[in-house]
Amino acid sequence: MIDATTAFPPARGSSGERLATAAVWSSALLVVGVSVWMLGGLFWQGAGRINWAFLTTEPANAGRSGGIAPMLASTVLVLGVALAVSVPLGLGAAVLLAEFTDSGSVFGRLVRRSLDVLAGVPSVVFALFGNALFCQYLGLGYSILAGGLTLACMVLPVLIRATEEGFRAVPEDYRRAAAALGMSRTGTLWHVLLPAAAPGLAVGLVLGIGRVLGETAALLFTSGYVDRMPESLLDSGRTLSVHIYDLSMNVTGGDANACATAVVLVVLLLVVNAAAGWIARHWMRGKRISE
Amino acid sequence: MSAGSYFEVSDMSLHYGAKCAFESVVMSVPRGEVTALIGPSGCGKTSFLNCLNRLIDLAPGARVTGSVRAGGLDLYAPTTDLLALRRRIGMLFQKPNPFPLSIRRNLELPLREHGIRDKRRLEETVEHALRDVGLWEEVKDRLDRPALQLSGGQKQRLCLARALVLEPEALLMDEPCSALDPLASAVVEDLIKRLRGRYTLLVVTHHLAQARRLADHVGLFWMLEGRGKLIEWGPAGQIFEAPREALTAEYVRGRQG
Amino acid sequence: MSPSAKDRLLLGVLRGCAALAGLLVVVIAAFLILESVPAFRNVGWTRFFSDPAWHPAPRAEAGQFQMLPMLAGTLAVMAGAVLLATPLGVLSAVFCRYYAPPALGNAYRRLIELLSGIPSVVYGFWGLVTLVPLINQVRPPGASLLAGVLVVAIMILPTVALMADGALAQVPQEYLRAAAALGLSRWTTVRAVVLPAAKYGLFTGVMLETGRAIGETMATLMVCGNIVRFPQSVFDPVRTLTANIALEMAYALGDHRSALFASGLLLLVLIVMLAGAAEWIGGEPARD
Ligand SMILES: Nc1ncnc2c1ncn2[C@@H]1O[C@H](COP(=O)(O)OP(=O)(O)OP(=O)(O)O)[C@@H](O)[C@H]1O
Ligand SMILES: [Mg+2]
């Protein structure tokens, strides 16, 4: 790798060069400034309210006071439903795309293309679809099940992409070695490829979890607003992100708790993303064929 | 050594991190003549060349000691203007590397950077440089097409033209023909011959025959105890006919390396 | 079961998964179309663009269904956000790779990755409690096109910045070496060699961010003011198509509900057109 900072000195005494340097540094400063402003402000105002009671009690007074226990529970349940459906489906699709289709095949190209489009579909469109199919046609109503299923559709492209990458990172030697031993494809997949591709899978999983935790629009009219502790998957449940939205938009005086909830959510996501980054950097390293 | 030398290298060594690439090189490269650097693979020829225009700065962890003067200027002095220096010492790489721009932009870019904005002057200089490398007739109708569409030999000549538009004092060439077929490589070789006298030329080559055809002076690099060394340098006649070192004698007769 | 029968079963299952995943987008489109049929039949698509206003009602005759102001809102927020975020994002990537010392560049990249993981509802919340009051001091009401543009720009910035960073990393080292050997200065190298060489990646990044800006719901819902009107200035409130769906879906019935699905279909068409345009303009030619 070339270290550009030492390799390319700026031209001496050129005003254009100075202007460019100033522009680049000030953009970076601006971005850092806004991030600090935003995250700093959020933590500054919200972190103080977070304690054990906040995490374990029910909200009171429409959420202005009290805690977020039901939202945490709903979030976990929605996440569980979404992953339980999308992981097997995504894994299957990824295995097929990576291991059982050659790059030129029409079927593979079509599926990939359609997944690319799916990845760009706005979440509110997923919400419309989820509301129509799961809430109405399948009669699930506003429920955690409907919300989870909607989100399962949404995270599918992310999951498949990362998992496929994981399989592609497995050295060709493994497959040849397994074939030379006369292993069946099923056996190869189970015992050789799946373990070797696990990091990709994990990255996909973590990215998917991140998407689910942060999603709001797709849940507004699939899993709904109800802020009681859900008793079954058919109950409506309010996730953390919907809680933030509802408190800040529909409840006057709800900002403080909205802010605290936002801090909880951001911290959760930071942990999740750090995990993804960590897996990508450490676990994948050395598994890749030389780049 | 004398007023007739362009590069004066004294006791120069290069380390990549802890690894020594070459060590204690002393050499002077005569002005206006062709000097060939030969030697087996991995003995530090490319690295040496990169030290002469400080392109070695691009390699993280590279450390140069000793001193190099080019045209009387200390290359590694802290006050050296790196950009001006690299404009005075051009370079041609083993693999042709035109920018992914049009043919015209490839040549205009260094000129504009030099402060030449006048359209007429730009056009004249571009044409002149392309004629210089014998490319004008081949590309004059497609100056605005991407340079990456040229053939390998054409690309290499374009890169040569790109180095020449800046009117450098010296040209460093790292195996400039090795990625080309024999015909294209003969064309480039002829060009190098024509540049003799106008520029100080330093050419790395694996082709002993080419070195014989081109060079006025020759330096032989060798790997000793895992480090590159310049084991002998001098006029081509001496190196090829009456080398002082036994290794040189064997290498030029084709028994070693 | 014999090994080969197992293999066949496995392949069948995998095919099923992939087909289901691949068909999902078709199913979604089909549902949107199916659900918007009543609106197209009872309201008719011309009324979406010719009615005097947006006053939806469950029965087509009783309501008005003008969607253009909301489409304008969506496009205005998108344009503003993309215009702001693109230069900032590209310069951020340039900063990472060509200006910052390596350690600082890596730290900065970490920050951008962090920003890319923050959900839109949090950006929206921050905009609502911080930016909107500030804008309100300059020119009431505060919740406005400007607020939407700023918040969405901050939101999509990491997308462009990360894509651009990836594209810059792909620029072959030999170009950099050639630029250095010609004594090109840092900015000339970036401007005239690196950015042109990375243009396909940059273009993809811009397309991605544009898609996100069109589809963004929560942030625009929370800071744009949600008044259905053509904005006269950046300080005017607007309602985007996405925000409209999110606002009204909870209680919409009959033709109103169907019209919301039609607007969702419109969004989907916008996104697909964007992807098509991206492919058509930016199809990367085969490298030699
Ligand atoms: N950027 C670098 N970092 C670390 N080591 C390097 C680097 N570039 C070259 N080397 C090492 O320095 C030594 C000399 O390499 P160099 O490329 O100069 O040899 P060469 O004589 O040009 O070989 P060839 O004839 O094959 O081109 C080699 O051992 C090489 O591995
Ligand atoms: Mg070499």
Side-chain angles (χ1 to χ4, degrees):
Chain A
M1 260 324 270
I2 292 176
D3 173 6
T5 47
T6 57
F8 297 95
R12 293 180 185 182
S14 143
S15 55
E17 185 85 22
R18 269 204 301 274
L19 199 68
T21 308
V24 171
W25 277 89
S26 36
S27 317
L29 273 179
L30 183 66
V31 172
V32 172
V34 171
S35 326
V36 170
W37 184 18
M38 185 174 87
L39 294 175
L42 221 54
F43 276 79
W44 179 256
Q45 287 169 22
R49 292 180 82 89
I50 298 171
N51 50 33
W52 186 243
F54 183 70
L55 298 177
T56 51
T57 55
E58 304 244 339
N61 195 6
R64 290 181 191 88
S65 52
I68 53 168
M71 291 77 194
L72 278 171
S74 300
T75 306
V76 171
L77 289 177
V78 168
L79 182 65
V81 172
L83 293 183
V85 175
S86 61
V87 166
L89 199 62
L91 181 61
V95 168
L96 186 93
L97 289 178
E99 300 292 330
F100 295 88
T101 15
D102 17 304
S103 52
S105 98
V106 177
F107 179 70
R109 272 220 311 276
L110 274 179
V111 172
R112 248 184 231 114
R113 172 66 52 89
S114 114
L115 286 171
D116 282 347
V117 176
L118 194 65
V121 171
S123 53
V124 74
V125 171
F126 278 103
L128 288 173
F129 163 72
N131 182 277
L133 175 61
F134 301 123
C135 300
Q136 304 232 317
Y137 281 78
L138 299 184
L140 300 175
Y142 280 13
S143 64
I144 285 172
L145 192 56
L149 288 172
T150 308
L151 291 196
C153 302
M154 214 176 90
V155 297
L156 209 52
V158 185
L159 213 61
I160 295 178
R161 176 71 51 79
T163 313
E164 211 191 323
E165 288 278 303
F167 277 100
R168 296 203 180 279
V170 178
E172 202 49 43
D173 292 350
Y174 289 21
R175 299 184 185 91
R176 244 178 271 133
L181 291 173
M183 285 171 76
S184 71
R185 298 190 94 169
T186 316
T188 313
L189 186 64
W190 251 169
H191 300 294
V192 181
L193 298 178
L194 216 48
L201 210 105
V203 168
L205 197 65
V206 172
L207 287 177
I209 294 175
R211 286 286 300 268
V212 171
L213 287 183
E215 185 50 45
T216 314
L219 292 175
L220 282 179
F221 33 94
T222 52
S223 68
Y225 289 77
V226 174
D227 62 358
R228 279 188 310 277
M229 187 59 92
E231 276 158 16
S232 83
L233 292 182
L234 291 175
D235 275 1
S236 166
R238 185 195 285 195
T239 63
L240 289 172
S241 50
V242 174
H243 191 53
I244 299 172
Y245 164 70
D246 198 56
L247 281 186
S248 59
M249 289 290 282
N250 304 336
V251 181
T252 34
D255 283 359
N257 262 358
C259 191
T261 314
V263 173
V264 172
L265 182 59
V266 168
V267 168
L268 273 177
L269 282 164
L270 287 188
V271 172
V272 165
N273 285 334
W278 187 85
I279 296 169
R281 269 190 291 279
H282 295 263
W283 206 359
M284 299 279 257
R285 189 191 290 159
K287 298 231 162 173
R288 269 188 200 288
I289 323 158
S290 68
E291 287 181 277
Chain B
M1 209 192 180
S2 65
S5 64
Y6 184 76
F7 288 109
E8 284 282 0
V9 182
S10 57
D11 197 26
M12 183 167 65
S13 309
L14 171 71
H15 292 260
Y16 289 113
K19 183 178 174 301
C20 179
F22 61 79
E23 185 173 63
S24 314
V25 172
V26 178
M27 183 183 198
S28 58
V29 178
R31 193 186 286 272
E33 298 188 28
V34 180
T35 302
L37 294 179
I38 57 176
S41 197
C43 60
K45 304 179 298 295
T46 300
S47 305
F48 176 71
L49 220 53
N50 282 336
C51 291
L52 298 186
N53 65 351
R54 286 194 53 185
L55 216 58
I56 199 70
D57 290 20
L58 268 62
R63 213 174 62 256
V64 180
T65 54
S67 94
V68 195
R69 291 182 164 276
L73 192 96
D74 183 358
L75 287 193
Y76 286 87
T79 53
T80 304
D81 181 347
L82 206 51
L83 300 181
L85 165 91
R86 287 178 185 155
R87 281 170 208 174
R88 293 202 350 240
I89 304 171
M91 189 171 215
L92 195 59
F93 297 81
Q94 177 168 8
K95 191 165 161 253
N97 56 358
F99 297 126
L101 309 168
S102 70
I103 297 172
R104 187 198 303 279
R105 280 283 288 162
N106 260 282
L107 297 175
E108 281 185 1
L109 187 57
L111 286 171
R112 283 176 188 275
E113 182 77 348
H114 225 43
I116 299 173
R117 292 282 144 89
D118 179 44
K119 266 203 92 71
R120 279 274 301 287
R121 201 147 154 233
L122 281 173
E123 275 183 21
E124 281 167 18
T125 319
V126 165
E127 176 173 348
H128 187 259
L130 285 173
R131 284 193 190 282
D132 231 10
V133 298
L135 207 54
W136 176 251
E137 290 302 324
E138 294 164 53
V139 303
K140 66 179 181 210
D141 301 325
R142 47 172 174 153
L143 287 177
D144 294 306
R145 307 288 316 235
L148 295 184
Q149 289 177 358
L150 295 173
S151 76
Q154 288 173 326
K155 278 186 200 155
Q156 192 64 313
R157 279 184 285 154
L158 179 67
C159 291
L160 184 58
R162 189 177 61 183
L164 292 181
V165 288
L166 292 177
E167 294 168 4
E169 296 163 0
L171 258 182
L172 310 173
M173 307 192 211
D174 190 4
E175 305 180 39
C177 302
S178 66
L180 308 180
D181 73 274
L183 274 181
S185 110
V187 173
V188 173
E189 205 179 304
D190 279 342
L191 280 171
I192 298 174
K193 274 191 212 145
R194 284 208 278 126
L195 298 175
R196 169 184 293 150
R198 284 157 64 193
Y199 306 95
T200 301
L201 298 170
L202 199 55
V203 186
V204 172
T205 177
H206 277 295
H207 238 345
L208 281 177
Q210 190 177 51
R212 274 182 211 271
R213 288 194 298 267
L214 279 177
D216 308 306
H217 293 258
V218 176
L220 175 69
F221 271 84
W222 204 266
M223 199 76 161
L224 289 176
E225 292 148 11
R227 293 141 183 234
K229 295 259 194 198
L230 178 65
I231 57 168
E232 185 168 3
W233 57 277
Q238 175 201 320
I239 300 290
F240 286 119
E241 309 308 333
R244 283 192 302 262
E245 303 282 334
L247 270 173
T248 317
E250 282 184 45
Y251 186 71
V252 299
R253 262 184 267 125
R255 288 209 208 125
Q256 275 264 6
Chain C
M1 223 183 336
S2 78
S4 72
K6 245 195 213 161
D7 275 4
R8 268 201 304 280
L9 181 70
L10 174 77
L11 195 60
V13 171
L14 296 182
R15 282 235 176 85
C17 289
L20 198 57
L23 276 178
L24 194 53
V25 96
V26 181
V27 174
I28 290 178
F31 258 94
L32 289 188
I33 294 172
L34 197 71
E35 292 283 323
S36 43
V37 162
F40 282 117
R41 202 173 39 220
N42 302 338
V43 183
W45 67 272
T46 46
R47 282 184 59 193
F48 293 142
F49 306 108
S50 61
D51 267 4
W54 174 264
H55 290 301
R59 281 179 46 249
E61 312 80 67
Q64 297 175 333
F65 293 89
Q66 170 64 274
M67 281 185 193
L68 276 184
M70 293 182 288
L71 183 61
T74 292
L75 295 180
V77 169
M78 174 207 88
V82 168
L83 282 180
L84 269 184
T86 306
L88 273 181
V90 173
L91 287 182
S92 285
V94 167
F95 174 77
C96 271
R97 300 222 166 246
Y98 290 91
Y99 282 80
L104 184 61
N106 282 335
Y108 185 75
R109 189 172 300 125
R110 233 13 82 66
L111 175 73
I112 301 273
E113 283 168 4
L114 188 157
L115 287 183
S116 76
I118 294 190
S120 54
V121 69
V122 174
Y123 282 101
F125 174 69
W126 176 75
L128 184 67
V129 298
T130 313
L131 274 187
V132 169
L134 276 183
I135 297 175
N136 181 44
Q137 281 172 17
V138 181
R139 182 92 72 83
S144 57
L145 174 58
L146 179 64
V149 164
L150 291 177
V151 172
V152 174
I154 300 171
M155 253 189 65
I156 60 180
L157 183 121
T159 314
V160 217
L162 291 177
M163 286 295 293
D165 185 63
L168 295 195
Q170 301 278 316
V171 171
Q173 304 267 306
E174 62 204 63
Y175 297 157
L176 300 185
R177 227 168 271 139
L182 287 170
L184 300 187
S185 72
R186 187 181 297 179
W187 176 242
T188 307
T189 306
V190 168
R191 173 182 58 79
V193 179
V194 173
L195 292 182
K199 64 174 181 249
Y200 294 111
L202 296 179
F203 181 74
T204 314
V206 172
M207 286 297 135
L208 272 183
E209 63 162 347
T210 309
R212 283 201 61 191
I214 292 178
E216 178 44 38
T217 309
M218 296 319 292
T220 58
L221 173 63
M222 293 166 85
V223 304
C224 284
N226 296 325
I227 308 248
V228 189
R229 207 168 55 193
F230 282 104
Q232 305 300 317
S233 85
V234 288
F235 294 104
D236 280 355
V238 293
R239 185 187 288 191
T240 59
L241 285 171
T242 48
N244 184 53
I245 297 175
L247 277 172
E248 298 185 350
M249 189 59 194
Y251 63 84
L253 295 167
D255 291 336
H256 178 198
R257 180 182 147 88
S258 181
L260 292 181
F261 275 88
S263 68
L265 194 60
L266 178 60
L267 278 171
L268 192 64
V269 169
L270 279 180
I271 295 290
V272 171
M273 268 170 31
L274 187 72
E279 186 131 337
W280 188 56
I281 303 170
E284 187 160 359
R287 286 273 181 91
D288 57 343

